[in-house]
Amino acid sequence: MNNWLLEPLQFPFMRDAMIAGAVVAAMCAMLSCFVILKGWSLMGDAISHAVLPGIVLAYLTGIPLAAGAFASGFTCALATGYIRNNSRVKEDTVLGVVFTGLFAIGLVLHSRTESELHLDHILYGNILGIPPEIFWQVMGAGALVVTAVLIWRRDLMLAAFDPSHARVLGLPVRVLDYGLLSLLVLAVVAALQAVGIVLVIAMLITPGCIAYLWTDRFDRMMLIAVTAAVLSTLTGILVSYHIDGSTGACIVLVQAAVFTLSFLFAPKHGVLLRRLGRAAH
Amino acid sequence: MPGPLADRGASGIGHPHSAAEAAQAAARDFPPLSLKVDRISVMYPNGQRALNDASFSLSAGTVCGLVGANGSGKSTLFKSVMGFVNPVSGTVRINGRPVREALKQQLVAYVPQAEEVDWQFPVNVTDVVMMGRYGAMNFLRISRAADHAAVEASLRRVGMWDFRGRQIGELSGGQKKRVFLARALAQGGRVILLDEPFTGVDVQTEEAIITLLRQLADDGCIILVSTHNLGSVPEFCDRAVLLNKTVLASGPVEEVFTEPNLTKAFGGVLRQFHFEHSTIQNHDGRQVRVLTDDERPLVFGKDGHLEYKDRTGREDLVKIRSEEQD
Ligand SMILES: Nc1ncnc2c1ncn2[C@@H]1O[C@H](COP(=O)(O)OP(=O)(O)OP(=O)(O)O)[C@@H](O)[C@H]1O
Ligand SMILES: [Mg+2]
């Protein structure tokens, strides 16, 4: 058992993977709590596709790719908000139209430009071979997101729960909304190149869902989400090392397993114990 | 800035002060409170004009009923007082200042309609009431002893202290209402807005809420309540505002609640029961009892004056009425 844990840690690429993975997991898990409570589950998916045109344009004009990605992802969120406010179409539907459109623009731009930019490097980042500059991007984004959420989590929570009350108290609800969106885009952009698109989408939803089944308090929900996400990520990386499987997929699978167990066994909101409780009465 | 309610919390709200004492305390701590809605017109982005040239004003120590048919602009008026919609013309002023400043001072509190709330949200009763204190906390929203004391006092005052650990969705409709009212108390709001507080609430809880609103008014608050429940307005409101896109009438309830005014506000949509057209005979005298399921009946006397449920507390009125007869 000790060997199973320690042997992989001899390799620097494994240590980097575990550190970066844990940071991505923690930052996404914190955001996932807001994402699921606000009904924004599609947002991670949308932003991680919508960054593409920004990346290609940034490459063409020579500005940092991350900056282009951020601009493009944020445009997606803004455009969605604008169209929702000014039409009768529901938010998730608008989001679907906007992000597929942006992704398509990115694909066309990419196919029309001669470049060394490989799509699969952008969208399917490999956690076991993170380049140093991306590693540090992840660290920076992680520090920023975690700090911002820790400072403003109560305001963000109140704005999600009862925006009217928040406004009556004089909180800047709109600024909080856009702030949360910015953090989301930042997390996606940083995580995308490190861990890949599927993993980002999963990490922005599953940990929050798991925690939501375990508790009725917001702070605990965040704590459980972060713990579940970080442990699943480390376990997934180790498993993938030993079975020589796709790392991203292994992490997602471990998370899904934790979700299934929670769904069955969580004390109050799990189905099995609820059944048992009912039978006992 | 904690309000007087919060201060009372620290000394134990469980023992209500006398109304006079409380009013004195309020007058000492605060400049006289006023709400003035001055000729506001509100237009929604779709071109719908929801309010047109509406005016009324209220001063401290008032419970005011906001009455009107569906779509008459009650919720829109609330949104204007809370600064959520900007009138295309006219102004709303609290203590003579714009709404935005009043919000900064935590003066306005709002009790939401049940449909507006996500009842599955992972917060419990204490968490919700603590949200009333956010404006008084520093930017990290770390609660201190005074905040906990205010939360406890508010919860005790609405009789929900024993439910403090419950997830917010695991309460009955009336209990949920009381929790949000406790939040307004903990906030120390001076202008308290309640949108349809009595829908889905049983008679007993309604009485409890009404008693509380009366106490708050005696403490010097302005309470603005929108309601469909016409009959309850004379029982607990000092003043009423009749709304139908504009203010049809505003003032003391006896003056506003006249048959012509109500007909103007509601058209023919009110159900009526005329004793002289009914099967009730003279020998029934005044032994007629009126039962209704949820709404209180609104009863007018012979020349169109309001009749109240209880004689106690209205001895003057009874005297006047009996003199009229002679
Ligand atoms: N968001 C909105 N956009 C456009 N029009 C609106 C909006 N909200 C309300 N209205 C319109 O404004 C008018 C006033 O609506 P409001 O919600 O203030 O009525 P209300 O008196 O609260 O009604 P109810 O008793 O049904 O709650 C209505 O005609 C309504 O159709
Ligand atoms: Mg309404």
Side-chain angles (χ1 to χ4, degrees), chain B residues 79-200:
Chain B
K79 287 186 205 160
S80 315
V81 174
M82 293 186 287
F84 294 2
V85 296
N86 284 321
V88 286
S89 64
T91 53
V92 179
R93 292 191 168 255
I94 293 169
N95 285 345
R97 314 292 309 159
V99 171
R100 198 145 32 90
E101 288 179 30
L103 296 186
K104 287 245 165 64
Q105 298 169 0
Q106 318 293 315
L107 283 182
V108 181
Y110 171 60
V111 177
Q113 280 182 284
E115 310 84 82
E116 295 170 31
V117 179
D118 172 6
W119 296 111
Q120 297 299 321
F121 208 90
V123 284
N124 67 18
V125 167
T126 309
D127 296 333
V128 170
V129 179
M130 192 59 89
M131 288 173 190
R133 304 292 306 166
Y134 278 20
M137 297 177 191
N138 67 8
F139 74 108
L140 285 174
R141 317 290 179 206
I142 295 169
S143 48
R144 279 171 300 193
D147 300 311
H148 289 284
V151 167
E152 174 171 353
S154 313
L155 276 173
R156 287 194 187 283
R157 195 159 177 197
V158 300
M160 289 298 292
W161 176 245
D162 293 339
F163 296 86
R164 61 189 174 277
R166 283 272 186 99
Q167 196 269 331
I168 186 72
E170 297 164 356
L171 299 172
S172 75
Q175 292 168 337
K176 288 170 180 165
K177 272 273 137 56
R178 285 193 272 166
V179 171
F180 281 94
L181 199 55
R183 184 176 73 178
L185 296 185
Q187 182 189 331
R190 311 286 299 150
V191 177
I192 303 180
L193 307 171
L194 299 95
D195 205 352
E196 310 276 357
F198 303 128
T199 39

Side-chain angles (χ1 to χ4, degrees), chain B residues 211-230:
Chain B
T211 310
L212 199 61
L213 295 182
R214 290 283 1 152
Q215 286 173 8
L216 287 171
D218 293 340
D219 290 353
C221 292
I222 291 178
I223 317 274
L224 191 56
V225 184
S226 88
T227 179
H228 282 119
N229 191 342
L230 283 183

Side-chain angles (χ1 to χ4, degrees), chain A residues 6 35-36 61 95 173 185 250 279:
Chain A
L6 292 181
V35 163
I36 68 157
T61 52
L95 198 56
V173 173
V185 178
C250 284

